């Protein structure tokens, strides 16, 4: 076609100008000092809870002092608390994360983890507030596996065996047959029925 040469020239010019424009805008509006690739930063970014839980906790606490509305960091701290059997602290951190971070509050799994932490402060019982939190998780995602399992357990605790079986049957329908977990849940359903 007659116009194909000029199209290639325009495409090539655009391909060269876009990165230069982006770089120029970054230097005008960006913050080059924010990029810190020092060895200490790389070393700190490789820190994980499994590698050094105490150092990871210190890093999270320091980060949260500067960023108290960081829901993900609060959830990480709560999970670390759970791993260390600090259930009251975990519950408080889950509550803060759900309060300050709308994205976290839309995650059914976080509501379940919060319910679990509160339940552990009650000696493992899900009665009361933990059951309410499980209900919030189910309102967000009615097929959430952890929420269905916990809702069935809470119903079983209060001797509402029909509801326990109902929740667990919904969960069983999502599981692959023939696995040990499937068999355990099927047995629990039979016991509830």
């Amino acid at each position: 076609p007659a116009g194909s040469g000029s199209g290639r020239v325009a495409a090539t010019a655009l391909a060269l100008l876009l990165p230069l424009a982006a770089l120029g805008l970054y230097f005008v509006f960006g913050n080059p000092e924010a990029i810190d690739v020092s060895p200490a930063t790389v070393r700190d970014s490789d820190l994980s809870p499994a590698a050094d839980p105490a150092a990871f906790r210190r890093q999270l606490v320091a980060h949260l002092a500067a960023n108290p509305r960081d829901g993900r960091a609060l959830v990480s701290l709560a999970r670390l608390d759970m791993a260390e059997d600090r259930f009251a602290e975990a519950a408080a951190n889950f509550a803060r994360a759900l309060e300050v971070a709308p994205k976290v509050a839309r995650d059914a799994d976080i509501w379940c983890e919060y319910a679990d932490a509160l339940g552990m402060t009650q000696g493992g019982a899900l009665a009361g507030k933990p059951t309410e939190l499980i209900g919030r998780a189910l309102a967000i995602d009615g097929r959430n596996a952890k929420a269905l399992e916990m809702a069935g357990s809470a119903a079983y605790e209060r001797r509402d065996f029909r509801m326990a079986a109902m929740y667990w049957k919904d969960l069983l329908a999502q599981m692959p047959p023939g696995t040990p977990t499937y068999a355990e849940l099927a047995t629990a359903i039979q016991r509830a029925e």
Side-chain angles (χ1 to χ4, degrees), residues 172 181-191:
L172 192 69
T181 308
Y182 184 95
E184 289 170 12
L185 187 57
T187 301
I189 292 168
Q190 287 175 347
R191 196 168 38 246

Side-chain angles (χ1 to χ4, degrees), residues 2-165:
S4 68
S6 63
R8 281 191 200 125
V9 171
T12 303
L14 190 60
L16 292 172
L17 289 176
L18 275 177
L20 291 175
L23 188 60
L25 287 171
Y26 177 75
F27 281 110
V28 171
F29 298 107
N31 181 7
E33 288 91 35
I35 301 172
D36 181 9
V37 289
S38 66
T41 302
V42 172
R43 191 172 48 252
D44 289 346
S45 69
D46 291 339
L47 195 59
S48 71
D52 186 352
F56 186 68
R57 175 178 294 283
R58 286 191 301 275
Q59 182 183 15
L60 280 172
V61 169
H63 174 78
L64 286 165
N67 305 285
R69 298 184 63 82
D70 186 340
R72 288 182 184 213
L74 285 164
V75 168
S76 293
L77 185 57
R79 288 176 176 159
L80 187 58
D81 289 333
M82 285 294 288
E84 296 174 356
D85 295 339
R86 300 166 71 154
F87 305 122
E89 293 91 339
N93 284 318
F94 280 125
R96 278 185 48 214
L98 290 162
E99 180 184 323
V100 301
K103 187 174 183 178
V104 171
R106 290 189 298 269
D107 187 334
D109 287 326
I110 303 299
W111 287 99
C112 290
E113 289 181 78
Y114 180 23
D116 189 25
L118 275 180
M120 293 306 288
T121 66
Q122 301 177 164
L126 296 173
K129 180 88 171 170
T131 298
E132 291 174 32
L133 299 173
I134 295 164
R136 295 280 303 263
L138 287 170
I140 293 168
D141 179 5
R143 293 184 40 83
N144 182 280
K146 187 171 180 87
L148 288 169
E149 186 275 322
M150 292 179 79
S153 295
Y156 196 90
E157 271 182 26
R158 65 180 181 270
R159 304 186 62 75
D160 187 347
F161 303 119
R162 184 185 61 78
M163 286 301 293

Side-chain angles (χ1 to χ4, degrees), residues 165-183:
M166 184 193 76
Y167 285 123
W168 289 339
K169 282 180 181 178
D170 287 348
L171 176 58
L172 192 69
Q174 299 177 40
M175 301 174 87
T179 63
T181 308
Y182 184 95

